[in-house]
Amino acid sequence: GAGVSQSPSNKVTEKGKDVELRCDPISGHTALYWYRQSLGQGLEFLIYFQGNSAPDKSGLPSDRFSAERTGGSVSTLTIQRTQQEDSAVYLCASSLRTGQGASYEQYFGPGTRLTVT
Amino acid sequence: QQPVQSPQAVILREGEDAVINCSSSKALYSVHWYRQKHGEAPVFLMILLKGGEQKGHDKISASFNEKKQQSSLYLTASQLSYSGTYFCGTERYSGAGSYQLTFGKGTKLSVIP
């Protein structure tokens, strides 16, 4: 089946504009994660969804960042009033995690490269 | 909370072995290992659960020492295809049914002929 898909693959925006990044997880995966990776850096956790709810939003860097997930499937990460420091690759991952019990591997999408000018 | 990986970088000749370490100051539920090649998304290698056994995948294996909250990734008889950045992710239960995976800064592995 299809893997995790993200769109757009690249986004260039002007400082101060809002952007929306989309993630389509693997069908049937209940858990969805957003990460941010700056050039040459590790993966920074942003937010985790279990179904449509987000029990952990602790990684969102500021109130300009928000995310939602509808129908237990597609998720959108929105960044308002973008700043240059928001430039990074935004990665989405999904897994079978049910919120309790065993841990499952995460499958990553190809990412969205965001450049704020 | 971010796990510490060591070494930061390593260069190997084909056929040599390497060990990558990952340590955390927090009690862990599991440890994940991923490999990322330049310009690509991270790819899952293995998970080690608390109380679980050492896992292996082909010539790559890993261990998890619960007492020390440390994990090690072992690459034996390295191949050119092993080149990439290896990330460990330490998973903790953060409450309200939520598990947070925190990644280290990565270890860059280069295998040369």
mmCIF file of all heavy atoms in Angstrom, chain A residues 28-57:
data_model
loop_
_atom_site.group_PDB
_atom_site.id
_atom_site.type_symbol
_atom_site.label_atom_id
_atom_site.label_comp_id
_atom_site.label_asym_id
_atom_site.label_seq_id
_atom_site.Cartn_x
_atom_site.Cartn_y
_atom_site.Cartn_z
ATOM 1 N N GLY A 28 -5.187 3.207 8.246
ATOM 2 C CA GLY A 28 -5.296 2.340 9.412
ATOM 3 C C GLY A 28 -4.375 2.709 10.554
ATOM 4 O O GLY A 28 -4.526 2.196 11.674
ATOM 5 N N HIS A 29 -3.425 3.583 10.307
ATOM 6 C CA HIS A 29 -2.537 4.021 11.389
ATOM 7 C C HIS A 29 -3.259 5.037 12.253
ATOM 8 O O HIS A 29 -3.697 6.078 11.778
ATOM 9 C CB HIS A 29 -1.253 4.619 10.814
ATOM 10 C CG HIS A 29 -0.251 3.602 10.408
ATOM 11 N ND1 HIS A 29 1.060 3.910 10.103
ATOM 12 C CD2 HIS A 29 -0.358 2.250 10.274
ATOM 13 C CE1 HIS A 29 1.708 2.799 9.794
ATOM 14 N NE2 HIS A 29 0.868 1.787 9.883
ATOM 15 N N THR A 30 -3.354 4.731 13.548
ATOM 16 C CA THR A 30 -4.107 5.601 14.440
ATOM 17 C C THR A 30 -3.266 6.747 15.000
ATOM 18 O O THR A 30 -3.797 7.768 15.398
ATOM 19 C CB THR A 30 -4.664 4.786 15.619
ATOM 20 O OG1 THR A 30 -3.564 4.099 16.254
ATOM 21 C CG2 THR A 30 -5.671 3.758 15.134
ATOM 22 N N ALA A 31 -1.972 6.559 15.044
ATOM 23 C CA ALA A 31 -1.097 7.589 15.620
ATOM 24 C C ALA A 31 -0.419 8.378 14.510
ATOM 25 O O ALA A 31 -0.004 7.816 13.490
ATOM 26 C CB ALA A 31 -0.060 6.948 16.524
ATOM 27 N N LEU A 32 -0.311 9.677 14.728
ATOM 28 C CA LEU A 32 0.325 10.556 13.744
ATOM 29 C C LEU A 32 1.193 11.564 14.490
ATOM 30 O O LEU A 32 0.786 12.089 15.529
ATOM 31 C CB LEU A 32 -0.753 11.283 12.920
ATOM 32 C CG LEU A 32 -0.293 12.131 11.741
ATOM 33 C CD1 LEU A 32 -1.335 12.100 10.620
ATOM 34 C CD2 LEU A 32 0.015 13.556 12.148
ATOM 35 N N TYR A 33 2.375 11.789 13.966
ATOM 36 C CA TYR A 33 3.353 12.653 14.621
ATOM 37 C C TYR A 33 3.859 13.705 13.636
ATOM 38 O O TYR A 33 4.030 13.429 12.456
ATOM 39 C CB TYR A 33 4.569 11.838 15.091
ATOM 40 C CG TYR A 33 4.251 10.629 15.939
ATOM 41 C CD1 TYR A 33 3.801 9.449 15.352
ATOM 42 C CD2 TYR A 33 4.417 10.659 17.321
ATOM 43 C CE1 TYR A 33 3.523 8.330 16.132
ATOM 44 C CE2 TYR A 33 4.145 9.546 18.103
ATOM 45 C CZ TYR A 33 3.694 8.387 17.492
ATOM 46 O OH TYR A 33 3.417 7.287 18.270
ATOM 47 N N TRP A 34 4.137 14.886 14.159
ATOM 48 C CA TRP A 34 4.814 15.926 13.386
ATOM 49 C C TRP A 34 6.164 16.204 14.046
ATOM 50 O O TRP A 34 6.261 16.342 15.278
ATOM 51 C CB TRP A 34 4.001 17.212 13.344
ATOM 52 C CG TRP A 34 2.840 17.213 12.399
ATOM 53 C CD1 TRP A 34 1.529 16.985 12.698
ATOM 54 C CD2 TRP A 34 2.884 17.489 10.989
ATOM 55 N NE1 TRP A 34 0.759 17.097 11.566
ATOM 56 C CE2 TRP A 34 1.562 17.403 10.509
ATOM 57 C CE3 TRP A 34 3.907 17.801 10.092
ATOM 58 C CZ2 TRP A 34 1.240 17.618 9.161
ATOM 59 C CZ3 TRP A 34 3.585 18.015 8.764
ATOM 60 C CH2 TRP A 34 2.266 17.916 8.309
ATOM 61 N N TYR A 35 7.204 16.308 13.183
ATOM 62 C CA TYR A 35 8.548 16.655 13.629
ATOM 63 C C TYR A 35 9.076 17.783 12.753
ATOM 64 O O TYR A 35 8.614 17.994 11.632
ATOM 65 C CB TYR A 35 9.509 15.460 13.500
ATOM 66 C CG TYR A 35 9.166 14.264 14.338
ATOM 67 C CD1 TYR A 35 8.361 13.244 13.829
ATOM 68 C CD2 TYR A 35 9.655 14.136 15.635
ATOM 69 C CE1 TYR A 35 8.059 12.127 14.593
ATOM 70 C CE2 TYR A 35 9.356 13.027 16.407
ATOM 71 C CZ TYR A 35 8.560 12.023 15.881
ATOM 72 O OH TYR A 35 8.253 10.925 16.643
ATOM 73 N N ARG A 36 10.080 18.455 13.280
ATOM 74 C CA ARG A 36 10.762 19.493 12.500
ATOM 75 C C ARG A 36 12.259 19.162 12.511
ATOM 76 O O ARG A 36 12.817 18.786 13.560
ATOM 77 C CB ARG A 36 10.518 20.865 13.140
ATOM 78 C CG ARG A 36 11.183 22.006 12.427
ATOM 79 C CD ARG A 36 10.694 23.336 12.923
ATOM 80 N NE ARG A 36 11.115 23.663 14.277
ATOM 81 C CZ ARG A 36 10.885 24.821 14.857
ATOM 82 N NH1 ARG A 36 10.202 25.771 14.209
ATOM 83 N NH2 ARG A 36 11.297 25.062 16.082
ATOM 84 N N GLN A 37 12.884 19.308 11.352
ATOM 85 C CA GLN A 37 14.310 19.031 11.244
ATOM 86 C C GLN A 37 14.978 20.215 10.562
ATOM 87 O O GLN A 37 14.753 20.467 9.382
ATOM 88 C CB GLN A 37 14.571 17.736 10.464
ATOM 89 C CG GLN A 37 16.025 17.311 10.462
ATOM 90 C CD GLN A 37 16.219 15.934 9.853
ATOM 91 O OE1 GLN A 37 15.531 15.543 8.919
ATOM 92 N NE2 GLN A 37 17.180 15.172 10.382
ATOM 93 N N SER A 38 15.804 20.922 11.320
ATOM 94 C CA SER A 38 16.567 22.017 10.744
ATOM 95 C C SER A 38 17.827 21.460 10.112
ATOM 96 O O SER A 38 18.255 20.346 10.436
ATOM 97 C CB SER A 38 16.916 23.049 11.817
ATOM 98 O OG SER A 38 15.726 23.560 12.392
ATOM 99 N N LEU A 39 18.451 22.229 9.239
ATOM 100 C CA LEU A 39 19.594 21.762 8.465
ATOM 101 C C LEU A 39 20.665 21.169 9.375
ATOM 102 O O LEU A 39 21.161 21.825 10.284
ATOM 103 C CB LEU A 39 20.170 22.930 7.647
ATOM 104 C CG LEU A 39 21.270 22.564 6.661
ATOM 105 C CD1 LEU A 39 20.718 21.608 5.594
ATOM 106 C CD2 LEU A 39 21.847 23.801 6.012
ATOM 107 N N GLY A 40 21.002 19.896 9.117
ATOM 108 C CA GLY A 40 22.063 19.239 9.864
ATOM 109 C C GLY A 40 21.729 18.925 11.313
ATOM 110 O O GLY A 40 22.603 18.511 12.068
ATOM 111 N N GLN A 41 20.464 19.085 11.667
ATOM 112 C CA GLN A 41 20.066 18.839 13.056
ATOM 113 C C GLN A 41 19.238 17.572 13.179
ATOM 114 O O GLN A 41 18.873 16.939 12.190
ATOM 115 C CB GLN A 41 19.249 20.031 13.578
ATOM 116 C CG GLN A 41 20.005 21.337 13.592
ATOM 117 C CD GLN A 41 21.219 21.273 14.496
ATOM 118 O OE1 GLN A 41 21.122 20.896 15.663
ATOM 119 N NE2 GLN A 41 22.377 21.623 13.959
ATOM 120 N N GLY A 42 18.947 17.212 14.401
ATOM 121 C CA GLY A 42 18.118 16.050 14.670
ATOM 122 C C GLY A 42 16.651 16.351 14.464
ATOM 123 O O GLY A 42 16.271 17.382 13.919
ATOM 124 N N LEU A 43 15.825 15.436 14.920
ATOM 125 C CA LEU A 43 14.385 15.541 14.757
ATOM 126 C C LEU A 43 13.768 16.134 16.013
ATOM 127 O O LEU A 43 13.915 15.595 17.100
ATOM 128 C CB LEU A 43 13.792 14.164 14.488
ATOM 129 C CG LEU A 43 14.256 13.522 13.192
ATOM 130 C CD1 LEU A 43 14.134 12.016 13.269
ATOM 131 C CD2 LEU A 43 13.440 14.058 12.040
ATOM 132 N N GLU A 44 13.067 17.237 15.849
ATOM 133 C CA GLU A 44 12.428 17.913 16.976
ATOM 134 C C GLU A 44 10.942 17.570 16.992
ATOM 135 O O GLU A 44 10.215 17.881 16.045
ATOM 136 C CB GLU A 44 12.621 19.419 16.829
ATOM 137 C CG GLU A 44 11.938 20.254 17.902
ATOM 138 C CD GLU A 44 11.997 21.746 17.604
ATOM 139 O OE1 GLU A 44 12.519 22.122 16.531
ATOM 140 O OE2 GLU A 44 11.496 22.537 18.424
ATOM 141 N N PHE A 45 10.487 16.934 18.066
ATOM 142 C CA PHE A 45 9.082 16.554 18.201
ATOM 143 C C PHE A 45 8.201 17.799 18.303
ATOM 144 O O PHE A 45 8.509 18.724 19.057
ATOM 145 C CB PHE A 45 8.913 15.686 19.446
ATOM 146 C CG PHE A 45 7.479 15.442 19.845
ATOM 147 C CD1 PHE A 45 6.734 14.462 19.209
ATOM 148 C CD2 PHE A 45 6.889 16.191 20.844
ATOM 149 C CE1 PHE A 45 5.422 14.233 19.576
ATOM 150 C CE2 PHE A 45 5.576 15.969 21.219
ATOM 151 C CZ PHE A 45 4.834 14.990 20.586
ATOM 152 N N LEU A 46 7.089 17.817 17.562
ATOM 153 C CA LEU A 46 6.159 18.937 17.622
ATOM 154 C C LEU A 46 4.852 18.535 18.303
ATOM 155 O O LEU A 46 4.441 19.137 19.292
ATOM 156 C CB LEU A 46 5.870 19.478 16.217
ATOM 157 C CG LEU A 46 7.061 20.066 15.462
ATOM 158 C CD1 LEU A 46 6.636 20.520 14.072
ATOM 159 C CD2 LEU A 46 7.676 21.227 16.232
ATOM 160 N N ILE A 47 4.170 17.517 17.758
ATOM 161 C CA ILE A 47 2.851 17.155 18.264
ATOM 162 C C ILE A 47 2.525 15.724 17.883
ATOM 163 O O ILE A 47 3.034 15.211 16.891
ATOM 164 C CB ILE A 47 1.774 18.124 17.715
ATOM 165 C CG1 ILE A 47 0.415 17.902 18.398
ATOM 166 C CG2 ILE A 47 1.646 18.006 16.205
ATOM 167 C CD1 ILE A 47 -0.600 19.006 18.096
ATOM 168 N N TYR A 48 1.690 15.115 18.697
ATOM 169 C CA TYR A 48 1.300 13.722 18.504
ATOM 170 C C TYR A 48 -0.216 13.631 18.539
ATOM 171 O O TYR A 48 -0.854 14.204 19.403
ATOM 172 C CB TYR A 48 1.939 12.882 19.604
ATOM 173 C CG TYR A 48 1.240 11.600 19.984
ATOM 174 C CD1 TYR A 48 1.136 10.548 19.081
ATOM 175 C CD2 TYR A 48 0.715 11.425 21.261
ATOM 176 C CE1 TYR A 48 0.525 9.360 19.453
ATOM 177 C CE2 TYR A 48 0.098 10.248 21.635
ATOM 178 C CZ TYR A 48 0.004 9.214 20.735
ATOM 179 O OH TYR A 48 -0.599 8.045 21.095
ATOM 180 N N PHE A 49 -0.810 12.929 17.583
ATOM 181 C CA PHE A 49 -2.245 12.665 17.541
ATOM 182 C C PHE A 49 -2.494 11.185 17.756
ATOM 183 O O PHE A 49 -1.825 10.337 17.172
ATOM 184 C CB PHE A 49 -2.832 13.042 16.168
ATOM 185 C CG PHE A 49 -2.972 14.517 15.952
ATOM 186 C CD1 PHE A 49 -1.975 15.226 15.302
ATOM 187 C CD2 PHE A 49 -4.102 15.192 16.373
ATOM 188 C CE1 PHE A 49 -2.103 16.592 15.086
ATOM 189 C CE2 PHE A 49 -4.246 16.558 16.161
ATOM 190 C CZ PHE A 49 -3.239 17.247 15.513
ATOM 191 N N GLN A 50 -3.479 10.887 18.576
ATOM 192 C CA GLN A 50 -4.003 9.527 18.700
ATOM 193 C C GLN A 50 -5.450 9.638 18.243
ATOM 194 O O GLN A 50 -6.295 10.188 18.956
ATOM 195 C CB GLN A 50 -3.894 9.013 20.140
ATOM 196 C CG GLN A 50 -4.330 7.579 20.315
ATOM 197 C CD GLN A 50 -3.492 6.610 19.505
ATOM 198 O OE1 GLN A 50 -2.273 6.691 19.436
ATOM 199 N NE2 GLN A 50 -4.163 5.683 18.853
ATOM 200 N N GLY A 51 -5.748 9.094 17.062
ATOM 201 C CA GLY A 51 -7.057 9.372 16.473
ATOM 202 C C GLY A 51 -7.112 10.845 16.114
ATOM 203 O O GLY A 51 -6.172 11.380 15.524
ATOM 204 N N ASN A 52 -8.202 11.500 16.501
ATOM 205 C CA ASN A 52 -8.343 12.927 16.216
ATOM 206 C C ASN A 52 -7.889 13.829 17.356
ATOM 207 O O ASN A 52 -7.848 15.049 17.205
ATOM 208 C CB ASN A 52 -9.805 13.272 15.900
ATOM 209 C CG ASN A 52 -10.244 12.725 14.564
ATOM 210 O OD1 ASN A 52 -9.427 12.480 13.690
ATOM 211 N ND2 ASN A 52 -11.536 12.506 14.405
ATOM 212 N N SER A 53 -7.548 13.233 18.473
ATOM 213 C CA SER A 53 -7.171 14.070 19.617
ATOM 214 C C SER A 53 -5.659 14.150 19.739
ATOM 215 O O SER A 53 -4.936 13.258 19.305
ATOM 216 C CB SER A 53 -7.782 13.518 20.905
ATOM 217 O OG SER A 53 -7.237 12.251 21.175
ATOM 218 N N ALA A 54 -5.218 15.226 20.339
ATOM 219 C CA ALA A 54 -3.785 15.466 20.487
ATOM 220 C C ALA A 54 -3.434 15.498 21.968
ATOM 221 O O ALA A 54 -3.449 16.567 22.578
ATOM 222 C CB ALA A 54 -3.400 16.775 19.812
ATOM 223 N N PRO A 55 -3.116 14.327 22.555
ATOM 224 C CA PRO A 55 -2.803 14.308 23.982
ATOM 225 C C PRO A 55 -1.496 15.015 24.334
ATOM 226 O O PRO A 55 -1.262 15.331 25.478
ATOM 227 C CB PRO A 55 -2.735 12.822 24.321
ATOM 228 C CG PRO A 55 -2.466 12.136 23.041
ATOM 229 C CD PRO A 55 -3.087 12.981 21.976
ATOM 230 N N ASP A 56 -0.650 15.235 23.347
ATOM 231 C CA ASP A 56 0.646 15.842 23.633
ATOM 232 C C ASP A 56 0.955 16.925 22.613
ATOM 233 O O ASP A 56 1.279 16.627 21.465
ATOM 234 C CB ASP A 56 1.747 14.775 23.636
ATOM 235 C CG ASP A 56 3.052 15.295 24.209
ATOM 236 O OD1 ASP A 56 3.235 16.527 24.302
ATOM 237 O OD2 ASP A 56 3.913 14.472 24.561
ATOM 238 N N LYS A 57 0.830 18.194 23.059
ATOM 239 C CA LYS A 57 1.150 19.329 22.188
ATOM 240 C C LYS A 57 2.387 20.047 22.691
ATOM 241 O O LYS A 57 2.683 21.164 22.267
ATOM 242 C CB LYS A 57 -0.017 20.338 22.170
ATOM 243 C CG LYS A 57 -1.337 19.759 21.735
ATOM 244 C CD LYS A 57 -2.426 20.825 21.761
ATOM 245 C CE LYS A 57 -3.775 20.240 21.376
ATOM 246 N NZ LYS A 57 -4.859 21.234 21.421
#
